[in-house]
């Protein structure tokens, strides 16, 4: 296998999407994988200044808000709208956030590590 150049890496289309059926909402949503920067921000936003995960409220909604996109790949929800999204069906948010976790390479172990379990 050939070594990649900097240009090849930066030009690679490496973000993936998956359409998820959400019957609670009456249709399908598109879920996009996180960029490295988005994943880092998502993880650091959960911890306080001492590195302890204390900001786990709306975790599914925050992840779903980061990852749900329209047909052009633009986010459907801003960070500020995540709390409102958190008031929607827990089952729907679990379905969307589970796909988002898988696409982002986040495991349950990663979340537990952040929570200090």
């Amino acid at each position: 296998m050939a070594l990649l150049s900097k240009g090849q890496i930066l030009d690679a289309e490496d973000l993936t999407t998956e359409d998820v059926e959400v019957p609670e909402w009456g249709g399908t949503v598109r879920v996009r994988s996180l960029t490295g920067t988005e994943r880092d921000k998502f993880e650091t936003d959960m911890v306080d200044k001492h590195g302890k995960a204390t900001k786990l409220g709306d975790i599914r909604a925050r992840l779903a808000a980061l990852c749900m996109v329209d047909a052009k790949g633009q986010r459907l929800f801003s960070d500020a709208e995540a709390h409102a999204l958190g008031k929607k069906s827990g089952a729907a948010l679990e379905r969307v956030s589970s796909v988002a976790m898988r696409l982002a390479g986040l495991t349950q172990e990663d979340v537990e590590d952040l929570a200090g379990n």
Side-chain angles (χ1 to χ4, degrees), residues 4 33 112:
L4 296 170
S33 59
E112 289 172 2

Side-chain angles (χ1 to χ4, degrees), residues 45-49 52-57 114-115:
D45 283 351
M46 288 190 284
V47 297
D48 64 18
K49 64 183 177 182
K52 188 164 180 136
T54 58
K55 302 174 188 173
L56 300 177
L114 284 169

Side-chain angles (χ1 to χ4, degrees), residues 80-92:
E81 295 169 315
H83 182 70
L85 185 60
K87 295 180 181 180
K88 302 306 294 175
S89 164

